[in-house]
């Protein structure tokens, strides 16, 4: 069973069904009823012949309910103090006009050899907000795993997907176009929280959930685009990777519009280089290896036929903090 697919389905349909305002008005009991309704529908209609499922499988499947209720309750809390509104779900990126599904055109990059490259995919959620006549767009990715977000990955051409989608929307012409406002990764799977007997249990659980479920990523916030406050009123850093520190200074994973422009330029260069390499027949065994990427080969689809472990030296990468990443991008931009 693909747990992540089920989670995506339930979250998409609940938010699409109720909308931001409608969801915020639901009681926890009503949320539980909705979650169970969509889980039951998925089990009976989207997983094949449900009569073949064992009682044990049905029980394990419906256990997702408790976790999903927690996630939806947290979404309710976030939406209550955010001005951004969900506008699209599982939004397709591509140039397939034969499909009935809503689609945004892929961004096309021209390669040095005269060819071109386009990237297609789907965005879990697109949120928008308008201020002073300017539309802002951010993309949200639901993650059922525990992978951490590292901006330095972009320098090495890793984890570009959500940024490609963001810049496709911000640079394109569709109803979801607008100024790029950020990329956020939302943890959508429940984890155990360790607590101490000697401290308040409820407070420990609340603190643990805030830490586990706070979204990762980066957001636009500069003197001309003060968006952090519109993503989380009060800026306590409970939901987004930014908060209001002493002196009323916004700190965290924030970038300026100019820095987002540098990221977009870097990603275009990386994609063009990849496309040129593929056109030239250069498909090397060139895995990365670093502190956050020490299992690259274990999850590779070609592991069974690759001689990497005996013949190829991994490409070493290092973690960089935000300032170091921006220094690299500025050097390239000069």
């Amino acid at each position: 069973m693909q747990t992540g697919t089920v989670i995506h389905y339930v979250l998409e349909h609940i938010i699409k069904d109720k909308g931001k305002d409608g969801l915020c008005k639901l009681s926890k009991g009503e949320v539980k009823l909705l979650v169970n309704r969509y889980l039951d529908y998925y089990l009976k209609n989207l997983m094949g012949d449900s009569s073949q499922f064992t009682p044990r499988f049905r029980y394990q499947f419906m256990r997702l309910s408790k976790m999903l209720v927690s996630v939806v309750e947290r979404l309710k809390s976030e939406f209550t103090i955010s001005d951004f509104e969900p506008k699209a779900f599982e939004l397709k990126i591509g140039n397939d006009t034969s499909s009935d599904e809503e689609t945004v055109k892929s961004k096309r990059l021209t390669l040095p050899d005269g060819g071109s490259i386009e990237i297609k995919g789907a965005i879990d959620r697109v949120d928008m907000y308008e201020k002073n006549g300017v539309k802002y767009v951010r993309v949200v990715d639901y993650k059922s795993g525990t992978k951490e977000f590292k901006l330095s990955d972009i320098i090495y051409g890793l984890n570009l997907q959500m940024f490609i989608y963001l810049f496709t929307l911000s640079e394109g012409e569709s109803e979801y176009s607008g100024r790029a406002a950020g990329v956020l990764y939302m943890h959508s799977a429940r984890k155990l929280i360790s607590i101490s007997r000697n401290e308040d249990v409820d407070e420990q659980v609340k603190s643990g959930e805030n830490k586990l479920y706070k979204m990762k990523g980066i957001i636009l916030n500069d003197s001309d685009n003060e968006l952090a406050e519109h993503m989380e009123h009060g800026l306590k850093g409970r939901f987004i990777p930014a908060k209001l520190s002493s002196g009323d200074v916004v700190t965290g994973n924030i970038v300026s519009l100019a820095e987002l422009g540098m990221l977009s330029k870097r990603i275009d260069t990386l994609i063009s280089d990849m496309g040129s390499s593929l056109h030239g027949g250069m498909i090397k065994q060139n895995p990365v290896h670093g502190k956050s990427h020490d299992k690259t080969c274990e999850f590779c689809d070609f592991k069974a036929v690759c001689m990497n472990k005996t013949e190829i030296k991994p490409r070493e990468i290092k973690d960089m903090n935000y300032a170091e990443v921006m220094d690299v991008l500025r050097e390239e931009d000069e």
Side-chain angles (χ1 to χ4, degrees), residues 124-135:
D124 288 346
R125 200 177 89 211
V126 177
D127 296 346
M128 300 191 75
Y129 166 65
E130 186 169 346
K131 180 182 180 181
N132 297 329
V134 178
K135 290 183 178 180

Side-chain angles (χ1 to χ4, degrees), residues 198-229:
N198 303 321
E199 299 178 32
D200 185 275
V201 173
D202 289 338
E203 283 300 317
Q204 289 183 80
V205 171
K206 183 178 179 181
S207 176
E209 287 185 340
N210 285 341
K211 183 178 180 180
L212 284 172
Y213 295 130
K214 180 169 77 173
M215 292 186 285
K216 309 296 193 297
I218 61 170
I219 60 175
L220 170 64
N221 195 84
D222 59 23
S223 58
D224 296 321
N225 305 275
E226 297 179 341
L227 293 184
E229 172 67 27

Side-chain angles (χ1 to χ4, degrees), residues 130-305:
E130 186 169 346
K131 180 182 180 181
N132 297 329
V134 178
K135 290 183 178 180
Y136 293 93
V137 57
R138 71 180 188 184
V139 293
V140 180
D141 189 41
Y142 298 137
K143 307 298 291 185
S144 55
T146 57
K147 185 174 179 60
E148 290 292 316
F149 166 76
K150 290 187 177 296
L151 188 60
S152 57
D153 282 355
I154 290 179
I155 299 298
Y156 303 106
L158 305 172
N159 298 321
L160 304 179
Q161 183 182 18
M162 297 309 296
F163 287 89
I164 292 172
Y165 296 161
L166 174 67
F167 296 131
T168 296
L169 292 179
S170 66
E171 298 167 16
E173 296 181 1
S174 74
E175 62 181 295
Y176 306 111
S177 297
R179 188 170 295 174
V183 168
L184 291 170
Y185 299 89
M186 177 186 164
H187 188 61
S188 58
R190 194 178 181 89
K191 291 183 67 175
L192 293 176
I193 298 173
S194 299
I195 60 174
S196 171
R197 294 182 181 179
N198 303 321
E199 299 178 32
D200 185 275
V201 173
D202 289 338
E203 283 300 317
Q204 289 183 80
V205 171
K206 183 178 179 181
S207 176
E209 287 185 340
N210 285 341
K211 183 178 180 180
L212 284 172
Y213 295 130
K214 180 169 77 173
M215 292 186 285
K216 309 296 193 297
I218 61 170
I219 60 175
L220 170 64
N221 195 84
D222 59 23
S223 58
D224 296 321
N225 305 275
E226 297 179 341
L227 293 184
E229 172 67 27
H230 294 287
M231 294 191 190
E232 182 181 330
H233 301 167
L235 276 179
K236 294 183 178 180
R238 183 183 172 197
F239 299 104
I240 64 172
K243 65 180 181 179
L244 197 63
S245 299
S246 58
D248 290 338
V249 177
V250 180
T251 60
N253 293 358
I254 58 175
V255 291
S256 67
L257 191 61
E259 288 167 337
L260 277 174
M262 289 190 291
L263 282 171
S264 177
K265 184 177 178 181
R266 170 68 174 179
I267 290 170
D268 283 353
T269 299
L270 287 166
I271 295 172
S272 293
D273 289 344
M274 292 177 195
S276 295
S277 295
L278 288 171
H279 274 195
M282 294 182 288
I283 308 173
K284 299 179 180 179
Q285 297 159 296
N286 193 24
V288 297
H289 183 269
K291 183 179 179 181
S292 303
H293 298 279
D294 58 347
K295 294 181 173 62
T296 305
C297 292
E298 291 183 26
F299 298 100
C300 179
D301 292 337
F302 301 98
K303 178 182 177 181
V305 295

